Amino acid sequence: MKIKSILADVFLFVLFYAAVISAGVTVYTYFNFGIVSIDKFLSVFNEVFYLDWAVKKIKIYSAILLVVAFLGVYFLRPKHIIILSILLFLLQIFEFDMISYYRYKNTTTTFYEENYVAPKIEKKVKNNLIIVYLESFEDQYITKEISPFLAKLKEENISFDGFKQVSETFSTIHAQFASLCGISLSQNNTLTGDGYINFLPNIKCIPDLLKENGYSTAYLKAADLKFSRANYFVEQHNFDVAKGFFELENKAKIIRKDYKGNEFGGLKDRVLFEVAKDEILKLKEPFFVALTTLDTHGAPDVYYDPDCEKKFNDIRDAIHCTGQSVEHFVNWLEKQPFWKNTTLLIMGDHQMSSKLFSKSQIFNVFINPVVSTNKKTREFTTYDFSASVLDAIGYNVAEFGIGRSLFRDNKTLFEKEGSNFHLLVAAKSELYEKFRKFNHVKVASYKNYELGQSLDNTKLFNYSDFGEKNTWCNGITYLSMTLNKIPKKDLYLKMNYIKGAQPFKIFANDTLIFENVTAKEEKLKQEQETFIIPESAFNGQNKLTIKIDSSINDVNKVFTLCVKEFILDEKK
């Protein structure tokens, strides 16, 4: 009887603890993101329990929830515990509409087949295009008191109201992809960490279309280009020039000694706009430039440039400061000879919070569009900017992907589908799966490597097209190199690396050379191993791409590996 009693108590404790944890994540998600889809709940749950930076917080939160669960089991009767646990689980089910979520996630729909419109534009040169993505810029802050210049721009030009923030548009890279490609960056495309490698190279986005029409294309970013894997986006969609913090740093130093700031140590907004002027002047017309700011990231903990006047002592100061930078940039543009043939879109990339269907709006204003409209209040999403932008520069585009031009009277898909739109976007689709398939990630360049050369972690990172810089060790995922000769025999790859609990595979030119699917170590462990790369992997070429793949079941999922030493040589 005692054993049964103990087992019953353990069962009640585990049940109640699980219910309390999930309820805790629900409350956290609600207050930080509003009523959101289960996707956001799962990402928060994953963040809370798996990311390294959260370990300390996890211990504190887990201890608190553990005490709550223990006290509940101690003071409450068994039937009350069971009832309360059921109620807590039901909270998740109804709060996140899990029934609808799993119905859409596990059902193949024809949403994309019925609504996706492959973009086509006439083979003519139209206006230059500049899009400025202002980090987390919401319309509620664009007042004559906080940002008089932006408020004036909105009043004198075309700005749309009725924005709805929906699934797959909560982050900068998601919003940029949605607005430039007219389709979501979703469908289990996630990586560990904060980014993606598959940006649907099989579809055409705005830079692809404009490039085909002879446009110069440029992507300028205040943060590191590799943050959120934007480097893959620009490589897969025809940006001639792609520069982030590290590519723009030398020029930024000349402009201001204190050029670096904000949460990520990226370029300050006012420095970015100054650097952008030089980059724009280098481009041949016609051109398309996408510009991404950073100072207002992470609200309410945004960056306050010390050179800006403080009037409010809160987030409004950061909005005011970035608004001034935009003012100087626009004033400069208006003095350039290309301005009369240039359309400018200034928009917030996403809302400050990730609330689904929030009442707050992203700031948006079209300046110098070649089309106009009197209907400026619509129910629309980030996807609709794709068609609207091409329409604005003169390409007569009513539909682009799942986006619909706001300069037309035709309904947007949100106006047609209502709140179900965010579920349909993430639902399974055979057409979307076709878009996702690609052989390998494009590599921008292959650096020279001499067989037998020993590379430490710092030198090896220079061969990396995808990785993460850390203070203790740079993480490696993709390596690309040109060997000093075409291999005529198998090669030895010697690696000294840090091994953790996560299983992974190593591919050399798509040939599997190592597989460890049962890793169980809980602590990081340094390993030194030798792998064989068969001659057949090179196919008579001297190019080598090495990929670290931790997905096991998902070819698009990767993680970074800390490689302390790397030597590649011929097999003796």
Side-chain angles (χ1 to χ4, degrees), residues 520-535:
K520 295 181 179 178
E521 297 89 347
E522 299 204 355
K523 294 183 179 180
L524 296 176
K525 181 181 179 183
Q526 190 158 319
E527 295 280 356
Q528 185 169 348
E529 297 189 59
T530 300
F531 313 106
I532 296 177
I533 303 178
E535 177 194 351

PDB file of all heavy atoms in Angstrom, residues 520-535:
ATOM      1  N   LYS A 520      25.421  11.459 -26.123  1.00  0.00           N
ATOM      2  CA  LYS A 520      24.739  11.522 -24.831  1.00  0.00           C
ATOM      3  C   LYS A 520      25.499  12.357 -23.802  1.00  0.00           C
ATOM      4  O   LYS A 520      25.051  12.516 -22.687  1.00  0.00           O
ATOM      5  CB  LYS A 520      24.535  10.114 -24.274  1.00  0.00           C
ATOM      6  CG  LYS A 520      23.602   9.263 -25.125  1.00  0.00           C
ATOM      7  CD  LYS A 520      23.422   7.887 -24.516  1.00  0.00           C
ATOM      8  CE  LYS A 520      22.478   7.045 -25.365  1.00  0.00           C
ATOM      9  NZ  LYS A 520      22.310   5.678 -24.818  1.00  0.00           N
ATOM     10  N   GLU A 521      26.686  12.860 -24.175  1.00  0.00           N
ATOM     11  CA  GLU A 521      27.461  13.643 -23.216  1.00  0.00           C
ATOM     12  C   GLU A 521      26.698  14.894 -22.819  1.00  0.00           C
ATOM     13  O   GLU A 521      26.179  15.599 -23.682  1.00  0.00           O
ATOM     14  CB  GLU A 521      28.815  14.047 -23.814  1.00  0.00           C
ATOM     15  CG  GLU A 521      29.715  12.875 -24.139  1.00  0.00           C
ATOM     16  CD  GLU A 521      29.484  12.358 -25.550  1.00  0.00           C
ATOM     17  OE1 GLU A 521      28.466  12.754 -26.142  1.00  0.00           O
ATOM     18  OE2 GLU A 521      30.298  11.557 -26.025  1.00  0.00           O
ATOM     19  N   GLU A 522      26.638  15.154 -21.548  1.00  0.00           N
ATOM     20  CA  GLU A 522      25.925  16.340 -21.095  1.00  0.00           C
ATOM     21  C   GLU A 522      26.871  17.515 -20.935  1.00  0.00           C
ATOM     22  O   GLU A 522      26.465  18.654 -20.938  1.00  0.00           O
ATOM     23  CB  GLU A 522      25.205  16.040 -19.780  1.00  0.00           C
ATOM     24  CG  GLU A 522      24.175  14.935 -19.948  1.00  0.00           C
ATOM     25  CD  GLU A 522      23.100  15.014 -18.895  1.00  0.00           C
ATOM     26  OE1 GLU A 522      23.219  15.854 -18.006  1.00  0.00           O
ATOM     27  OE2 GLU A 522      22.145  14.239 -18.984  1.00  0.00           O
ATOM     28  N   LYS A 523      28.182  17.232 -20.805  1.00  0.00           N
ATOM     29  CA  LYS A 523      29.158  18.291 -20.662  1.00  0.00           C
ATOM     30  C   LYS A 523      29.978  18.382 -21.945  1.00  0.00           C
ATOM     31  O   LYS A 523      30.187  17.395 -22.644  1.00  0.00           O
ATOM     32  CB  LYS A 523      30.071  18.032 -19.466  1.00  0.00           C
ATOM     33  CG  LYS A 523      29.344  18.088 -18.120  1.00  0.00           C
ATOM     34  CD  LYS A 523      30.321  17.894 -16.985  1.00  0.00           C
ATOM     35  CE  LYS A 523      29.609  17.980 -15.635  1.00  0.00           C
ATOM     36  NZ  LYS A 523      30.538  17.791 -14.497  1.00  0.00           N
ATOM     37  N   LEU A 524      30.458  19.587 -22.237  1.00  0.00           N
ATOM     38  CA  LEU A 524      31.296  19.764 -23.404  1.00  0.00           C
ATOM     39  C   LEU A 524      32.594  18.982 -23.244  1.00  0.00           C
ATOM     40  O   LEU A 524      33.200  18.958 -22.174  1.00  0.00           O
ATOM     41  CB  LEU A 524      31.599  21.253 -23.606  1.00  0.00           C
ATOM     42  CG  LEU A 524      30.397  22.139 -23.917  1.00  0.00           C
ATOM     43  CD1 LEU A 524      30.824  23.589 -23.995  1.00  0.00           C
ATOM     44  CD2 LEU A 524      29.734  21.707 -25.202  1.00  0.00           C
ATOM     45  N   LYS A 525      33.017  18.352 -24.305  1.00  0.00           N
ATOM     46  CA  LYS A 525      34.191  17.492 -24.260  1.00  0.00           C
ATOM     47  C   LYS A 525      35.034  17.711 -25.510  1.00  0.00           C
ATOM     48  O   LYS A 525      34.508  17.753 -26.614  1.00  0.00           O
ATOM     49  CB  LYS A 525      33.747  16.030 -24.158  1.00  0.00           C
ATOM     50  CG  LYS A 525      34.882  15.033 -24.076  1.00  0.00           C
ATOM     51  CD  LYS A 525      34.297  13.633 -23.999  1.00  0.00           C
ATOM     52  CE  LYS A 525      35.408  12.585 -23.942  1.00  0.00           C
ATOM     53  NZ  LYS A 525      34.831  11.216 -23.932  1.00  0.00           N
ATOM     54  N   GLN A 526      36.346  17.882 -25.331  1.00  0.00           N
ATOM     55  CA  GLN A 526      37.214  18.101 -26.476  1.00  0.00           C
ATOM     56  C   GLN A 526      37.607  16.771 -27.097  1.00  0.00           C
ATOM     57  O   GLN A 526      38.025  15.844 -26.410  1.00  0.00           O
ATOM     58  CB  GLN A 526      38.464  18.885 -26.060  1.00  0.00           C
ATOM     59  CG  GLN A 526      39.296  19.346 -27.246  1.00  0.00           C
ATOM     60  CD  GLN A 526      40.188  20.521 -26.897  1.00  0.00           C
ATOM     61  OE1 GLN A 526      39.754  21.430 -26.185  1.00  0.00           O
ATOM     62  NE2 GLN A 526      41.398  20.524 -27.393  1.00  0.00           N
ATOM     63  N   GLU A 527      37.466  16.687 -28.417  1.00  0.00           N
ATOM     64  CA  GLU A 527      37.763  15.464 -29.147  1.00  0.00           C
ATOM     65  C   GLU A 527      38.774  15.753 -30.256  1.00  0.00           C
ATOM     66  O   GLU A 527      38.824  16.863 -30.793  1.00  0.00           O
ATOM     67  CB  GLU A 527      36.485  14.896 -29.784  1.00  0.00           C
ATOM     68  CG  GLU A 527      35.427  14.440 -28.802  1.00  0.00           C
ATOM     69  CD  GLU A 527      35.716  13.063 -28.227  1.00  0.00           C
ATOM     70  OE1 GLU A 527      36.701  12.439 -28.655  1.00  0.00           O
ATOM     71  OE2 GLU A 527      34.948  12.624 -27.349  1.00  0.00           O
ATOM     72  N   GLN A 528      39.573  14.752 -30.601  1.00  0.00           N
ATOM     73  CA  GLN A 528      40.454  14.857 -31.758  1.00  0.00           C
ATOM     74  C   GLN A 528      40.212  13.628 -32.622  1.00  0.00           C
ATOM     75  O   GLN A 528      40.457  12.498 -32.203  1.00  0.00           O
ATOM     76  CB  GLN A 528      41.928  14.932 -31.340  1.00  0.00           C
ATOM     77  CG  GLN A 528      42.856  15.155 -32.528  1.00  0.00           C
ATOM     78  CD  GLN A 528      44.269  15.490 -32.094  1.00  0.00           C
ATOM     79  OE1 GLN A 528      44.506  15.768 -30.918  1.00  0.00           O
ATOM     80  NE2 GLN A 528      45.208  15.476 -33.009  1.00  0.00           N
ATOM     81  N   GLU A 529      39.698  13.832 -33.811  1.00  0.00           N
ATOM     82  CA  GLU A 529      39.342  12.717 -34.673  1.00  0.00           C
ATOM     83  C   GLU A 529      39.829  12.956 -36.093  1.00  0.00           C
ATOM     84  O   GLU A 529      40.067  14.100 -36.507  1.00  0.00           O
ATOM     85  CB  GLU A 529      37.822  12.507 -34.675  1.00  0.00           C
ATOM     86  CG  GLU A 529      37.261  12.123 -33.309  1.00  0.00           C
ATOM     87  CD  GLU A 529      35.805  11.709 -33.394  1.00  0.00           C
ATOM     88  OE1 GLU A 529      35.515  10.749 -34.121  1.00  0.00           O
ATOM     89  OE2 GLU A 529      34.978  12.345 -32.717  1.00  0.00           O
ATOM     90  N   THR A 530      39.972  11.868 -36.837  1.00  0.00           N
ATOM     91  CA  THR A 530      40.385  11.927 -38.234  1.00  0.00           C
ATOM     92  C   THR A 530      39.282  11.331 -39.103  1.00  0.00           C
ATOM     93  O   THR A 530      38.810  10.227 -38.840  1.00  0.00           O
ATOM     94  CB  THR A 530      41.691  11.151 -38.458  1.00  0.00           C
ATOM     95  OG1 THR A 530      42.732  11.726 -37.649  1.00  0.00           O
ATOM     96  CG2 THR A 530      42.106  11.224 -39.930  1.00  0.00           C
ATOM     97  N   PHE A 531      38.870  12.074 -40.094  1.00  0.00           N
ATOM     98  CA  PHE A 531      37.829  11.628 -41.011  1.00  0.00           C
ATOM     99  C   PHE A 531      38.423  11.466 -42.406  1.00  0.00           C
ATOM    100  O   PHE A 531      39.390  12.153 -42.766  1.00  0.00           O
ATOM    101  CB  PHE A 531      36.680  12.640 -41.057  1.00  0.00           C
ATOM    102  CG  PHE A 531      36.224  13.101 -39.713  1.00  0.00           C
ATOM    103  CD1 PHE A 531      36.545  14.371 -39.254  1.00  0.00           C
ATOM    104  CD2 PHE A 531      35.492  12.267 -38.883  1.00  0.00           C
ATOM    105  CE1 PHE A 531      36.138  14.800 -38.004  1.00  0.00           C
ATOM    106  CE2 PHE A 531      35.074  12.691 -37.634  1.00  0.00           C
ATOM    107  CZ  PHE A 531      35.398  13.960 -37.184  1.00  0.00           C
ATOM    108  N   ILE A 532      37.857  10.598 -43.196  1.00  0.00           N
ATOM    109  CA  ILE A 532      38.343  10.373 -44.553  1.00  0.00           C
ATOM    110  C   ILE A 532      37.356  10.980 -45.547  1.00  0.00           C
ATOM    111  O   ILE A 532      36.158  10.691 -45.512  1.00  0.00           O
ATOM    112  CB  ILE A 532      38.520   8.865 -44.841  1.00  0.00           C
ATOM    113  CG1 ILE A 532      39.611   8.286 -43.927  1.00  0.00           C
ATOM    114  CG2 ILE A 532      38.878   8.647 -46.312  1.00  0.00           C
ATOM    115  CD1 ILE A 532      39.799   6.794 -44.084  1.00  0.00           C
ATOM    116  N   ILE A 533      37.869  11.824 -46.425  1.00  0.00           N
ATOM    117  CA  ILE A 533      37.060  12.376 -47.509  1.00  0.00           C
ATOM    118  C   ILE A 533      37.452  11.638 -48.788  1.00  0.00           C
ATOM    119  O   ILE A 533      38.580  11.784 -49.272  1.00  0.00           O
ATOM    120  CB  ILE A 533      37.302  13.887 -47.687  1.00  0.00           C
ATOM    121  CG1 ILE A 533      37.018  14.631 -46.376  1.00  0.00           C
ATOM    122  CG2 ILE A 533      36.413  14.443 -48.804  1.00  0.00           C
ATOM    123  CD1 ILE A 533      37.273  16.119 -46.456  1.00  0.00           C
ATOM    124  N   PRO A 534      36.550  10.856 -49.350  1.00  0.00           N
ATOM    125  CA  PRO A 534      36.906  10.076 -50.540  1.00  0.00           C
ATOM    126  C   PRO A 534      37.162  10.964 -51.758  1.00  0.00           C
ATOM    127  O   PRO A 534      36.563  12.041 -51.895  1.00  0.00           O
ATOM    128  CB  PRO A 534      35.687   9.176 -50.748  1.00  0.00           C
ATOM    129  CG  PRO A 534      34.565   9.898 -50.100  1.00  0.00           C
ATOM    130  CD  PRO A 534      35.158  10.617 -48.925  1.00  0.00           C
ATOM    131  N   GLU A 535      38.052  10.511 -52.613  1.00  0.00           N
ATOM    132  CA  GLU A 535      38.378  11.251 -53.833  1.00  0.00           C
ATOM    133  C   GLU A 535      37.120  11.520 -54.656  1.00  0.00           C
ATOM    134  O   GLU A 535      36.963  12.577 -55.277  1.00  0.00           O
ATOM    135  CB  GLU A 535      39.381  10.456 -54.662  1.00  0.00           C
ATOM    136  CG  GLU A 535      39.737  11.113 -55.987  1.00  0.00           C
ATOM    137  CD  GLU A 535      40.452  10.156 -56.924  1.00  0.00           C
ATOM    138  OE1 GLU A 535      40.817   9.049 -56.487  1.00  0.00           O
ATOM    139  OE2 GLU A 535      40.634  10.527 -58.102  1.00  0.00           O
TER     140      GLU A 535
END
